[in-house]
């Protein structure tokens, strides 16, 4: 482990040299910043990973069944498990996706599930990301650089290899593919995760394309190569949000989408990974109902726990939140990246009262959660080892089978006692070692 610490600066220099950065828009200006890498790995034991693997597969399978049901027969609504009003008031529900059954029947092909581990070692699910979850490339390339810098460390320890992510991604795309090339659709150079788009395309053997490289002709989608030759596309791993995917179906002002791609998708002639309309399943309000989905669709008890969550949408939950406001964290269901998160204890009395009034007016907009005291993990700050809060984004890939990548993105806060670990909020990342027996 000491070897890794001595190479930390050189590894970060190489990450910067290779363009392993995170881009953000702030005040209308695009800025790139380094995603700082910490050399001390998060270590997950074989027993821990086996439990995580079972729980994550169960959760993603239930979410896929929910999406198929919701955009189909809607039996879960008819049976009163989730209120209709809660679904149809969500910006994540897209009526344009009604009745569409994706090729292979999978909606969330690449799921990024965010977890934290409490000090009692219990794992809690914080969020389900089923639209365009990013982050797998960072531990991939960091592990590669660490292996090159300190090969003996990886010979001495039983660490599961994480270089198979590209193979898992290719298998997932191939399973959904309707006949043709695999494409990773990027908005372009100024997207926050452009590095990842290009890296995954290179490693998986998919074509990296912008919207100008793709064209709908008749009932099919084609990729135009450098020589102007058209190749039929069978699967598109899109790294563009639903709103901008097809200006003929969603936002007409989109300049980064592919006109009429939804027509081809609706006819079953191209697969889109992840499926449009998935935003309803990673709505922070719908998160509350996922344990109920597991019981409803799988007839099983949830293996992994949600953080204790309250919906002001319900009268009794609103009453509880108002009474216990100072010890809860409130989240805006439409926000992401660590934005829209308010700790009740951090507000002045006046601000707290104003927020409570907003909660009463906009009950569908927020959820409230108990604050989980994350397990602190060590990071290097200069020459000193200090404890910091960290989460884990686990990647679950669904195709012929549902598989959990034996790795993951561990993000940590660089501010003492802060619970906000997102890269867009200045956090760093570290490798996640899943040990083998």
């Amino acid at each position: 482990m000491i070897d890794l610490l001595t190479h930390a600066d050189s590894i970060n220099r190489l990450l910067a040299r290779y363009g392993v950065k995170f881009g953000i828009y702030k005040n209308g200006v695009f800025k790139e910043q380094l995603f700082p890498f910490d050399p001390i790995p998060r270590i997950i034991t074989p027993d821990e990973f086996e439990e995580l693997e079972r729980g994550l597969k169960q959760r993603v399978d239930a979410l896929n069944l929910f999406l198929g049901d919701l955009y189909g027969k809607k039996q879960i609504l008819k049976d009163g498990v989730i209120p209709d009003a809660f679904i149809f008031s969500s910006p994540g529900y897209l009526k344009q996706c009604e009745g569409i059954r994706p090729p292979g029947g999978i909606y969330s092909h690449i799921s990024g599930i965010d977890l934290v581990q409490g000090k009692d070692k219990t794992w809690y699910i914080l969020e389900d990301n089923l639209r365009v979850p990013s982050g797998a490339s960072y531990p991939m390339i960091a592990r590669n650089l660490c292996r090159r810098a300190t090969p003996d460390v990886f010979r001495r320890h039983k660490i599961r290899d994480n270089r198979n992510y590209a193979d898992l991604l290719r298998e997932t795309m191939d399973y959904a593919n309707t006949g043709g090339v695999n494409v990773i659709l990027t908005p372009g150079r100024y997207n926050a995760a452009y590095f990842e788009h290009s890296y995954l395309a290179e490693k998986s053997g998919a074509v990296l394309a912008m919207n100008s490289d793709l064209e709908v002709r008749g009932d099919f989608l084609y990729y135009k190569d450098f020589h102007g030759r058209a190749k039929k596309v069978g699967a598109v791993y899109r790294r563009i949000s639903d709103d901008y995917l097809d200006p003929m179906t969603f936002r007409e002002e989109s300049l980064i989408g592919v006109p009429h791609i939804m027509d081809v998708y609706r006819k079953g002639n191209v697969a889109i990974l992840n499926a449009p309309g998935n935003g309803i399943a990673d709505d922070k309000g719908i998160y509350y109902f996922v344990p109920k989905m597991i019981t409803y669709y799988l007839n099983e008890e949830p293996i992994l726990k949600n953080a204790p969550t309250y919906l002001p949408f319900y009268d009794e939950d609103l009453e509880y939140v108002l009474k216990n406001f100072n010890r809860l964290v409130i989240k805006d269901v439409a926000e992401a990246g660590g934005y829209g998160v308010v700790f009740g204890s951090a507000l002045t009395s006046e601000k707290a009262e104003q927020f409570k009034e907003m909660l009463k007016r906009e009950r569908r907009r927020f959820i409230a959660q108990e604050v989980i005291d994350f397990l602190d993990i060590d990071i290097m700050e200069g020459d000193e080892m200090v404890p910091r809060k960290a989460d884990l984004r686990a990647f679950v890939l669904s195709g012929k089978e549902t598989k959990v990548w034996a790795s993951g993105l561990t993000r940590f806060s660089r501010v003492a006692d802060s619970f906000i670990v997102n890269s867009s909020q200045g956090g760093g990342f570290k490798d996640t070692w899943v040990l083998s027996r």
Side-chain angles (χ1 to χ4, degrees), residues 129-147:
N129 299 283
L130 310 185
R131 281 176 281 187
V132 194
S134 63
S137 63
Y138 299 109
M140 288 171 70
I141 194 167
R143 177 79 64 88
N144 186 44
L145 293 175
C146 289
R147 289 175 71 96

Side-chain angles (χ1 to χ4, degrees), residues 55-56 58-60 62-63 66-67 70 76 81-83 86-87 90-93 112-118 122-131 278-295 297 302-314 317 329-335 364-372 374 391-393:
L56 289 165
Q58 180 194 59
R59 191 173 182 97
V60 170
L63 284 163
F66 164 69
L67 286 163
L70 182 64
I76 197 168
V81 179
I82 304 175
F86 208 82
I87 293 290
S90 171
Y93 165 74
I113 310 298
D114 293 344
L115 308 99
V116 294
Q117 192 174 25
T122 300
W123 287 94
Y124 295 92
I125 305 284
L126 278 191
E127 287 185 9
D128 305 292
N129 299 283
L130 310 185
R131 281 176 281 187
N278 277 13
I280 183 62
D282 63 18
D283 180 312
K284 290 183 177 66
I286 295 299
Y287 161 94
Y288 174 91
F289 296 99
V290 178
K292 297 176 186 289
M293 292 178 200
I294 291 170
T295 303
Y297 291 114
I303 296 167
L304 296 174
K305 296 181 178 180
N306 272 16
T309 303
Y310 309 95
L311 290 187
F313 180 84
Y314 292 121
D317 281 19
V329 55
I330 317 297
K331 296 181 179 181
D332 188 322
V333 301
E335 295 284 357
R364 173 61 176 85
R365 180 180 168 185
F366 299 97
I367 64 169
Q369 292 179 324
E370 303 286 353
V371 178
I372 296 173
F374 297 17
D391 75 352
L392 171 67
R393 173 163 290 181

Side-chain angles (χ1 to χ4, degrees), residues 154-433:
F154 293 88
R155 293 191 189 105
R156 291 196 303 266
H157 299 281
K158 292 183 177 181
I159 306 161
R160 291 182 62 172
D161 198 340
N162 77 346
R163 289 175 291 186
N164 68 332
Y165 184 83
D167 295 331
L168 294 174
L169 179 59
R170 183 170 56 250
E171 287 175 13
T172 301
M173 295 182 74
D174 286 346
Y175 176 76
N177 193 298
T178 60
V181 297
N182 289 329
V183 165
I184 294 181
L185 174 59
T186 176
R189 173 69 184 81
Y190 293 105
N191 181 263
Y194 179 75
F195 160 76
E196 175 159 289
H197 307 166
S198 56
Y199 187 75
L200 291 179
E202 176 189 348
K203 293 298 182 183
S204 69
V207 174
L208 181 67
M210 292 180 60
N211 65 327
S212 56
D213 301 316
L214 300 175
E215 181 182 14
V216 171
R217 299 182 188 174
D219 291 337
F220 299 95
L221 180 69
Y222 293 89
Y223 166 73
K224 295 171 289 184
D225 68 15
F226 293 115
H227 302 288
R229 294 173 301 205
K231 299 180 179 179
K232 186 170 173 288
V233 176
V236 177
Y237 178 19
R238 50 88 178 216
R239 301 303 296 259
I240 293 174
S241 66
D242 291 342
D243 286 351
Y244 296 94
L245 183 60
D246 183 346
M248 312 307 291
T249 301
F250 303 114
R251 296 182 65 155
E252 63 181 21
E253 69 271 25
S254 172
L255 299 177
I256 57 174
V258 180
H260 298 293
I261 190 174
M262 284 296 293
D263 297 334
V264 180
Y265 173 61
R266 194 173 288 109
K267 291 171 182 174
N269 292 338
V270 72
I272 298 178
L273 297 74
N274 283 333
N278 277 13
I280 183 62
D282 63 18
D283 180 312
K284 290 183 177 66
I286 295 299
Y287 161 94
Y288 174 91
F289 296 99
V290 178
K292 297 176 186 289
M293 292 178 200
I294 291 170
T295 303
Y296 180 80
Y297 291 114
L298 303 177
N299 196 28
E300 297 172 0
E301 288 299 311
I303 296 167
L304 296 174
K305 296 181 178 180
N306 272 16
T309 303
Y310 309 95
L311 290 187
F313 180 84
Y314 292 121
D315 290 342
E316 58 187 309
D317 281 19
L318 175 63
E319 183 180 354
Y320 180 88
V321 172
L322 295 176
K323 286 182 179 178
N324 296 276
F325 187 83
N326 289 342
R327 65 182 188 82
L328 299 174
V329 55
I330 317 297
K331 296 181 179 181
D332 188 322
V333 301
E335 295 284 357
Y339 295 98
V341 176
V342 175
F343 288 85
S345 59
L347 298 181
T348 64
S349 297
E350 181 181 357
K351 291 290 184 183
E353 289 307 312
Q354 290 174 0
F355 204 102
K356 288 178 185 179
E357 290 304 313
M358 184 164 59
L359 273 175
K360 294 176 188 176
R361 293 193 307 270
E362 303 181 59
R363 295 169 60 170
R364 173 61 176 85
R365 180 180 168 185
F366 299 97
I367 64 169
Q369 292 179 324
E370 303 286 353
V371 178
I372 296 173
D373 196 2
F374 297 17
L375 184 71
D376 293 297
I377 62 176
D378 290 330
I379 71 164
M380 294 303 298
E381 192 170 85
D383 296 327
E384 186 181 1
M385 192 178 292
V386 296
R388 291 290 183 266
K389 304 298 182 188
D391 75 352
L392 171 67
R393 173 163 290 181
F395 291 89
V396 185
L397 292 96
S398 303
K400 186 177 181 180
E401 302 174 54
T402 303
K403 297 181 179 180
V404 180
W405 184 37
S407 186
L409 176 66
T410 292
R411 302 174 296 183
F412 62 87
S413 172
R414 291 193 288 164
V415 179
D417 299 321
S418 172
F419 289 80
I420 306 297
V421 301
N422 305 74
S423 51
S424 57
Q425 301 283 310
F429 82 102
K430 55 173 67 209
D431 197 1
T432 304
W433 287 6

